[in-house]
Amino acid sequence: FVTSQGLRGNLAALPLPEVLIQLRRASSTGILSVESEGTRKAIYLDAGRVVFATSNSPTDRLGETLLRLGKITVDEYEDSLRQISHGRRQGKILIEMGAMLPQDLWEGVEAQAREIIFSLFEWPSGEFVFESTPLPQEEKVTVCFDPLPLVLEGLRRIDAEGALKGRYPDPSLILECVRDAEVSALLSFEKYIVALVDAERSVLQICHESEIGEAETLKTLYA
């Protein structure tokens, strides 16, 4: 539900993709925090665009992300940890060590933000709060993601039989495309599904006709 300060609810009722799209439409600026079983993740938005993401999960830390990307070695990662002190950032330390280039740091931060956000697509529940507030200025390395292609990318990655299954369109619905809908961000298989939407076929009929299977078709229609 909407509060005087922003938005509050549970992902079980309003999943993260839908929350992000709402905040994009409202060009919101503030911090979206999500918490479940002690894990807390936050997404920072500026005028509806994602600019940063944080998490208290060890697997979401920048160093672990750089390791997964192959930007640094285990030895370089461990050396950088030993040098973190007095507010020095791990990314800066790794660059000063010669372990990676400046571009690697930005690519790592972008990948880190994406992974934090996409992981929330899989959460079946979790309390979220969006607070409309000026963003802190201490983060110097930020991103600038339009939530719309970000949501599409995230939905492509998730299991079609996973947490969002309950949000898929009802099989009896007959869908119609918005006139002059923008489809340039869609992949070939998504454009194929959109082409089956003709204001005559039901969702069930589209699933039967589709060549990508019922679960993937429903997920694509949801996206």
Side-chain angles (χ1 to χ4, degrees), residues 7 43 50 55 61 74 119 130-131 138 145 147 152 172 176:
L7 193 67
I43 303 170
V50 173
S55 168
R61 289 185 295 210
V74 173
S119 69
F130 177 77
E131 296 181 79
E138 64 265 22
F145 293 145
L152 288 173
S172 64
E176 182 177 3

Side-chain angles (χ1 to χ4, degrees), residues 19 41 58 84 89 93 190 213 221:
V19 176
K41 307 194 181 192
I84 293 177
R89 298 295 185 97
I93 292 170
E190 293 164 335
L221 289 172

Side-chain angles (χ1 to χ4, degrees), residues 77-120:
Y77 169 70
E78 293 177 348
D79 285 345
S80 68
L81 286 181
R82 285 191 285 269
Q83 297 183 49
I84 293 177
S85 62
H86 306 297
R88 295 184 71 204
R89 298 295 185 97
Q90 189 176 20
K92 184 175 182 179
I93 292 170
L94 286 163
I95 292 173
E96 291 174 345
M97 288 170 49
M100 64 182 191
L101 299 172
Q103 182 61 24
D104 295 326
L105 174 58
W106 261 258
E107 290 176 2
V109 171
E110 289 181 353
Q112 178 192 29
R114 277 192 167 91
E115 294 304 323
I116 289 172
I117 293 167
F118 295 157
S119 69
L120 290 169

Side-chain angles (χ1 to χ4, degrees), residues 31-36 38-44 52-65 68 109 111-120 123 139:
I31 303 172
L32 174 64
S33 302
V34 189
E35 186 166 354
S36 178
T39 299
R40 183 182 182 276
K41 307 194 181 192
I43 303 170
Y44 295 66
F52 201 67
T54 61
S55 168
N56 67 358
S57 173
T59 58
D60 289 330
R61 289 185 295 210
L62 178 61
E64 277 75 0
T65 302
R68 288 194 294 271
V109 171
Q112 178 192 29
R114 277 192 167 91
E115 294 304 323
I116 289 172
I117 293 167
F118 295 157
S119 69
L120 290 169
W123 283 20
E139 296 300 338

Side-chain angles (χ1 to χ4, degrees), residues 189-201:
F189 78 93
E190 293 164 335
K191 293 176 182 178
Y192 159 73
I193 295 300
V194 169
L196 296 176
V197 177
D198 60 359
E200 294 182 5
R201 295 182 180 92

